[in-house]
Amino acid sequence: MLVMIAIAIVLGVGAAVSCGFLIQAHLSLRALRKRFEPVLDVDREVRKVREDTEEAKRLLETLRADYAEKRKTFDSLIAQAAVYDETIELAELGFYQPHFDFDTPERFKDEIKRVRQQQKEMVRDKAAVTCDAEWTVEGSRSKGKTMTNRAIRLTARAFNNECDAAISSTRWNNVRRMEERIRKAFDAINKLNESQRVVISSAYLRLKIDELRLTFEHQENRQRQKEEQAEIKRRIREEERLQREVESAAKEEEKYQRLLDRAREAAAKAVGGELGELEAKVRELEGSLAKAHEVNERAKSMAEQTKSGHIYVVSNIGSFGQSVYKIGMTRRLEPLDRVRELGDASVPFLFDVHAMVYSEDAPKLERTLHDAFDDRRLNLVNRRKEFFETGLDEIKAEVLKLDPNAEFIETAEAREYRESLAIRSERAATARKTADAVLPASL
């Protein structure tokens, strides 16, 4: 009996203990589920991520719209400020295209006078600034007219001052900006006067714009004429130099002729060993005379035919890079002298000659080559700058069309440039070796 009771007690205690363990495990499982519920509920997590993504997209669209609006405002302010601020580039204004086709400064001066006279007539006839309303001040039309006239004078003065400032400040790099400045002043002043019905006429604006354009183009015309005069003077100097070369060559030929005549006279009287020496001297002088005569004849030919000369094709890799060539012309007796001049102190390296082509009509040949590569010019404004970005094979093909016998040197020696690169490379290698030798000792 006691044994049964003991067994029952043991069984009851064991069940109670087991029940306690189960309860504890269940509570732990609930706690774990609650803790990792966001991870375990995959669908809910996916929905949350999608919601966050949509919210981010909406925020991004809002930011983009806000940026676009503010950017538009910023660009508008920049465009307005650029009209008055010389430091701001306004690319939208573009390159200035001439509006008048006058050949001489006098024609421009006459046209400027005519436009200014038209402005004065419009002001005198009260057509420059007008008011289409009759105002009364304190019930008086007379006072109203006085107020209107004062407003018209102030408007004209303000607009004229703005135009005069723009015209006097006009240069090649801001002419379109100054034109826009006048138009802005026209719009702004008319807007301020809307309440008084005072208006600057469009015809008066056009005259001001014409004055600005004429003034600018007059300045450009004068500059071009100066450059043309400089070119004419250069050609005169070139012809004078050719003439000096003719005179020098003639004197050189005369000198050798006199020396040869004396040597022949002496040889006719000499005997023995002295005769042999004099005969050798005569042969040497005959060779020198022949060369001097050839130079003299060539100088005469080039001086008589001022169109004859040499077309040269040169490059300067160290100064301008791999694909830039100068196609020029020289009438010098020794054309390489011109190439040596080009490589003076104004550029860091000497030029390499790729071709030197003689022509009876050198200006025509040069013009033909320049036209062929016109779209490759580096300087699109000053056409006297004869540098072109192209390949030597293309230049060679074009030259050979005009002169099949022309010789080309296709490899640029660029000796000073390449030697400079080598020296620079050696210095860098030496510096690296020195650094590598010093580094372990310092560690």
Side-chain angles (χ1 to χ4, degrees), residues 68-80:
E69 183 180 353
K70 287 181 170 55
R71 179 70 192 187
K72 186 177 179 180
T73 303
F74 174 77
D75 290 342
S76 176
L77 291 172
I78 285 291
Q80 293 179 42

Side-chain angles (χ1 to χ4, degrees), residues 161-172:
N161 287 343
E162 189 66 33
C163 292
D164 290 343
I167 292 169
S168 64
S169 303
T170 300
R171 298 189 303 279
W172 68 268

